[in-house]
Structures are given as C-alpha cells and as structure tokens.
C-alpha cells in the first residue's frame, strides 16, 4: 500500500512539472466551458419558453440539451486523454528508468495502479474544475438540471475507461507518439462500434452495440443510472488493467 | 552470498550470456571485467531480477532471484549502466521517493536520505532538477539511490564511467570503504580499477567466464611466461645473435635503438644469470636486466584473444566437419 502511494505521488506530481498535463487541462477546460455555457443557456431559455407555452414544448429538455452537451465533452476527452496516458510506461522505457523502477522492491501491480490512479487523479481534477462553471451559472441564477450529476458520473467512468486502455498501449511501446495515436485510434473504433451495428446483422450488431463505449454513456447523459452501464465501464477498466499487468509481466520474461 | 549456477540468457537466437557460473562470498568485492558486449550488464540484470535467465539459476542470500524476486530486490542496491534517473525530479524528492519504495517508514526516510547525501557529497545539488546537474553529480545521485536503505549487496554497472579523475578517485574510495561490510559486484573495462578495488575478478568474454581469480594470482600466473628487458652497450646485431643462443630464450624483440631489448623467456626459467654472463662474456656493458611483470592488461588481452582464437578454430572445425 505504501508502495502504491509512493508511485502515485511521484506520478501525480510529475504531471504538473510537464507542459502536457497543463495543455490537456487548459484545452479541456476551455472547450468544456464553451459547451457548458452555450448548453446551459440554451437549456434555461428552452425551459423558460416551455413554462410559458406548455403545449408547444412537450419535449424532454435533457434529451435535446444535456445529452449533446455531455456528448461534446466526451469527444474532447477522446481527443485529449491519450495524451495523459501516453507517457506512463513509454517514457520510462525510452529513458531507461524502467530498469530501476522494476528492480526496486515493488510489485508490478503497485506500479501499475500507482500510475493509473495518478492519471485518473489528474483527470478528476480536470473534470472537477468544470464544476466552477456550474457555480458560476448558479451565481447568475440559472437553474442546473439534475441530469448533470448523472452526466458527471458517466463522464468520469468513461474517462477512467479511456485511461485504462491508454495505459495498456503505453506499456506496449517506448514511443509516446505511437502510444497516443494508437490509444486514440482504438478508442475511436470502440466508440464508433455502435454505428456499425446496423450493418453487421442483428446478432453481431447487439454485441457491437453492447461493446460500444458511447452507447453506455448515452444513458448517463440522459440522467438514467443503470447498473448494467456501470458494470460495463468497471469491467472495461478491470480488463484493460489486467491486460497491462500481463504485458508488464511478459516484459520481464522476454527481457 | 551470491551463487550463480550455469546461467544462460538468449535474446531471440542471440546468446548474451552462456553457462556462467561463479560465487561471491559475503563482504567480498568482485570485479566483473570484459570487453563491450561481453554480457556483464546482462548478468547483472539477471541478478537484480530485471529479467530471468533463459536457463540456469542464481541465488542471493539463499533465495532464487526469480522465484523470490521481491525479497531479493530488497537486499540489492543497483546502479544501472547509463544511470537512468527521473530527469524531471528534484534530487531530494527523487531520493525520498527511492527511500519510500524501498520500504523505509517515514521516520527513517529522512535520515536515510540525509546519510546518502552526505556520503555521496550531494549537498550542492540537493534542490536542483536532475536534468540540470552535471554528469558527475548524476552518477553520484545514481550511487546514492543504490545506497539508500543500506542494502547488503551493491551491484554497480560501470560506476566510474565518464567521470573526471578526481571523481573517479572519490568513488573508488567510497566503494573500497565498504570492503568487508557489504558485498559488491562492479563491472568495468578499466583494468587498474579492478586491481585497485576488487578482491576477486571474473573475466567474461562473449558471454562466457574465461577466468576467476584474485588480481595477484592472475598476474603471477601469467608472469610465469614472462618477459625481460635487457639493455646493453653492445652492437645490436651481435647482441641479438648472442642472446638468441642462451638457454630458455624464446624470442628476442627488436632493439629500441638505445640498446634495449625485450626478451621472451620460457615459463618459470631462472634465466637472468645466464643472460648476464652472456653479456659480460662478450665484453659489453650491462645497464639493465629487469623482469617485466604481466599487467592485468596483458592478462586480459591474452585471455580474451585466446578465447576468440579458440572460438574461431572451433567454428572452422565445425565447418570442415560438414
Ligand atoms: N535487450 C537486448 N536485446 C537483444 N540483444 C541484447 C539485449 N541486451 C543485450 N543484448 C546483447 O547481449 C550481448 C551482451 O550485452 P551486455 O550489455 O550484457 O554487454 P556488456 O558486457 O554489458 O557490454 P558493455 O561493456 O558494452 O556494457 C551483446 O551482444 C548485446 O548486443
Ligand atoms: Mg554493459
């Protein structure tokens, strides 16, 4: 446990000594901020109009506004999060620090989780900072829809899944650029899987739809909490962390 | 303390280490000597649990380095070849991190870091980023991280490479100061270094151990088939002709123009008196008659070239067999 902490603290701190984490955070906050303000203003406007003419606006506001809002933010995450995980193992392999790290009395799993949670921590800070936007909105008297909470949970789980895949790819290469491009590509494929489901026949289509990252997110961003979606993301994370562990072990074997 | 038992390591089809066996006693300083690509780093990586051997086994303090990797790694301080450090960290933070992963608890950490900072002379750079400090200090930080936690065994891969003479001197002294207290394995290409620091030498070439002995024994073993320097006032051609007839002389080198010859003699022959009387008989002046002790350089080159000649003849035989 203390080993996990040691690795975690180091990794977390190192993120803030490199420009990458700042770049990722700033871009994320700016774009997310834009989506938030336009989305929430649109929401307030529609809900105001709906209260005036209940007959015309019988629509589900969270579907028209909040779902696209979180959808947009998740696209930004898809683009940015591979930049957080790319360095985790690739950099150590390139610079050779890998050799020292793996000859210290640390278990592979402690190293892996320390690194993973550091990336997750940075991501949590990033998402947490968007909370400032909500506070500003509240301050200006706008109402915050309840779906926001579910949406946040969805964002966090999806981001955690992205990071788990990213760390696996980082463990397989010593080139950070390759790590980030490949993670992005794989995430994009998993993301789009549900779009192809209509083309591959009903059976396979169901499977694809189930595996798709975005499919499970849609419920969250509509404000629906389903344990199946929760389970999907947790399994996804566990699966990719497990694979990473195997990759680290096999590195020991092959040298 | 260390028992290496017939280990081999292949990278794909390429053997890096072949059937290496040696032991190191507790408190002993062992020098690992060999040319580039001999397999020194590979052997050390196996001992530190970085990767397992393809075959054979190694034990440290009775524990298999692969089966009981975690426990073994607790006993080892390791300085890898190119001193890979986290460049984006501050020296002090880095050392604290190492103390923590080596399992020292909070109260011990500070003390342990303070101790290695003092032994390795790191005070001037303690607050600086590792990427900004000089190579010499980086090497010392590398040594400091190996020393943290006071491990019983130090494995140092070329600890003095790339340092200036003063720093080399300091680091050698530091290593020597642990004699008898810690077990140390260090690798090097620098022969005087091993004879200065080490009690025992393993010479390794092309992945095989070619000699294991103390520096003194290795020297005396080879000085048997020794050489003698002789300087006389006689005319060079006559001297050559005369000395070639002396019993026990194998060959005579060219004169250096000042009447000095290097004479190769039969092993273990007490030949000096015969050479001296031959010179005096001829009526020349004798200025110098000294045995040339074989240096470690000679031994090293000798063993290493012998080995590759053998390997070559073996491979030629292989070819002719077919
Ligand atoms: N990861 C690897 N993959 C493939 N071959 C390797 C690997 N590591 C080492 N080798 C090969 O194994 C042999 C031994 O290498 P090693 O680094 O152990 O030599 P060394 O004695 O440390 O040499 P040097 O004095 O140059 O440091 C070399 O021929 C090297 O090319
Ligand atoms: Mg080496």
């Amino acid at each position: 446990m203390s080993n996990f902490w040691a690795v975690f603290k180091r990794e977390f701190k190192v993120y803030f000594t490199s420009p990458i984490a700042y770049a990722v955070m700033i871009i994320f906050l700016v774009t997310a901020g834009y989506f938030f303000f336009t989305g929430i203003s649109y929401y307030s406007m529609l809900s105001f109009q709906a209260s005036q003419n209940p007959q015309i606006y019988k629509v589900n506001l969270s579907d028209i506004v909040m779902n696209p809002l979180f959808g947009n933010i998740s696209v930004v995450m898809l683009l940015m999060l591979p930049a957080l995980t790319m360095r985790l193992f690739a950099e150590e392999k390139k610079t050779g620090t890998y050799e020292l790290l793996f000859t210290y009395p640390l278990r592979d799993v402690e190293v892996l989780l320390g690194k993973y949670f550091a990336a997750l921590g940075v991501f949590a800070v990033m998402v947490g900072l968007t909370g400032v936007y909500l506070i500003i909105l509240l301050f200006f008297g706008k109402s915050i829809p309840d779906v926001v909470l579910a949406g946040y949970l969805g964002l966090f789980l999806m981001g955690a899944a992205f990071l788990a895949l990213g760390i696996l790819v980082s463990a397989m290469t010593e080139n950070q650029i390759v790590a980030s491009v490949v993670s992005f590509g794989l995430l994009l494929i998993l993301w789009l899987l549900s779009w192809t489901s209509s083309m591959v026949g009903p059976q396979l289509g169901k499977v694809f739809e189930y595996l798709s990252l975005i499919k499970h997110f849609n419920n969250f961003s509509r404000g629906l909490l389903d344990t199946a979606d929760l389970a999907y993301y947790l399994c996804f994370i566990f699966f990719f962390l497990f694979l990473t562990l195997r990759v680290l072990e096999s590195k020991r074997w092959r040298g | 303390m260390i028992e290496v038992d017939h280990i081999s390591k292949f990278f794909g089809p390429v053997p890096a280490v072949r059937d290496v066996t040696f032991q190191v006693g507790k408190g002993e300083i062992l020098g690992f000597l060999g040319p580039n690509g001999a397999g020194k780093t590979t052997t050390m990586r196996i001992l530190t649990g970085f990767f397992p051997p393809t075959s054979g086994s190694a034990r440290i303090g009775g524990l298999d380095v692969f089966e009981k990797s975690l426990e073994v790694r607790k006993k080892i301080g390791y300085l890898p070849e190119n001193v890979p450090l986290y460049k984006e960290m501050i020296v002090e933070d880095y050392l604290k991190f190492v103390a923590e992963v080596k399992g020292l608890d909070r109260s011990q950490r500070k003390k342990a870091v303070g101790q290695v900072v003092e032994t390795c002379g790191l005070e001037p750079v303690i607050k600086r980023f590792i990427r900004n400090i000089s190579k010499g200090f980086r090497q010392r930080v590398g040594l400091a991280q190996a020393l943290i936690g006071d491990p019983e065994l130090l494995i140092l891969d070329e600890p003095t490479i790339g340092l200036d003479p003063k720093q080399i001197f300091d680091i050698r002294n530091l290593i020597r100061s642990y004699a008898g207290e810690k077990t140390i394995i260090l690798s090097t290409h620098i022969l005087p270094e091993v004879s200065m620091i080490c009690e025992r030498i393993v010479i390794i070439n092309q992945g095989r151990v070619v000699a294991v002995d103390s520096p003194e024994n290795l020297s005396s073993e080879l000085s048997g088939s020794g050489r003698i320097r002789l300087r006389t006032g006689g005319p060079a051609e006559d001297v050559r002709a005369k000395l070639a007839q002396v019993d026990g002389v194998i060959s005579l080198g060219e004169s250096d123009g000042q009447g000095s010859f290097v004479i190769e003699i039969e092993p273990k022959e007490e030949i000096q008196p015969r050479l001296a009387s031959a010179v005096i008989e001829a009526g020349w002046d004798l200025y110098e008659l000294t045995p040339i002790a074989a240096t470690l350089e000679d031994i090293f080159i000798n063993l290493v070239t012998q080995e590759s000649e053998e390997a070559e003849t073996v491979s030629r035989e292989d070819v002719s067999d077919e």
Side-chain angles (χ1 to χ4, degrees), chain A residues 2-3 6-7 9-10 13-14 17 92 95-107 252-253 255, chain B residues 9 45 48-52 66 70 73-74 78 80 84-86 88-89 93-94 97-98 100-101 145:
Chain A
S2 86
N3 288 336
V7 177
K9 278 187 299 190
R10 195 198 84 78
K13 228 169 151 181
V14 163
T17 63
E92 299 231 19
T95 59
T97 50
Y98 196 70
E99 182 169 356
L100 266 180
L101 186 66
F102 282 90
T103 50
Y104 287 139
L106 293 169
R107 281 173 230 277
R252 275 193 199 277
W253 279 99
Chain B
K9 176 76 186 176
R45 285 179 168 169
T48 54
F50 183 59
F51 48 50
F66 185 59
L70 205 62
R73 281 184 270 152
K74 281 187 185 140
Y78 178 37
L85 302 171
Y86 293 114
E88 72 283 3
M89 286 181 92
D93 291 349
Y94 174 62
F97 164 73
V98 176
E100 199 172 350
V101 298
Q145 65 79 29

Side-chain angles (χ1 to χ4, degrees), chain B residues 11 16 35-42 81 158 189:
Chain B
F11 291 104
N36 288 122
K40 304 181 293 292
T41 301
T42 305
E81 187 162 18
E158 305 191 14
H189 306 123

Side-chain angles (χ1 to χ4, degrees), chain B residues 94-105 108-110 112-113 148-149:
Chain B
Y94 174 62
L95 294 175
K96 279 185 189 155
F97 164 73
V98 176
E100 199 172 350
V101 298
K102 286 194 177 182
L104 275 67
D105 59 41
Q108 296 173 306
R109 264 179 242 156
K110 208 170 171 159
V113 170
I148 283 184

Side-chain angles (χ1 to χ4, degrees), chain B residues 13 16 30 38 72 107-108 144 163 179 182 186 222 225 248 271 275 285:
Chain B
L30 180 89
V72 169
S107 56
Q108 296 173 306
L163 298 182
K182 289 184 191 302
L186 67 94
L222 262 130
S225 66
I271 195 178
L275 284 171
D285 296 330

Side-chain angles (χ1 to χ4, degrees), chain A residues 110-188:
Chain A
E110 292 165 339
V111 174
L112 171 65
L113 292 181
K115 282 174 178 285
Y116 177 70
F117 279 96
L120 196 62
V122 173
F123 170 62
V125 170
M126 227 161 89
V127 174
L129 284 176
T130 63
V132 174
Y133 302 147
L134 295 181
I135 294 169
I136 295 173
L137 287 168
L138 278 177
F139 188 75
F140 284 104
K142 312 253 185 200
S143 62
I144 306 289
D146 298 341
V147 275
V148 166
L149 274 182
Y152 262 101
L153 181 62
L155 275 188
F156 187 73
L157 284 170
M158 191 160 62
F162 289 178
L163 296 175
L165 185 142
I167 203 170
L168 170 69
V169 178
S170 182
M172 296 201 293
T173 172
E174 56 175 52
N175 186 322
Q176 294 193 49
I177 312 272
V178 169
S180 90
V181 170
V182 171
S183 333
F184 172 72
L186 288 177
L187 288 173
L188 196 64

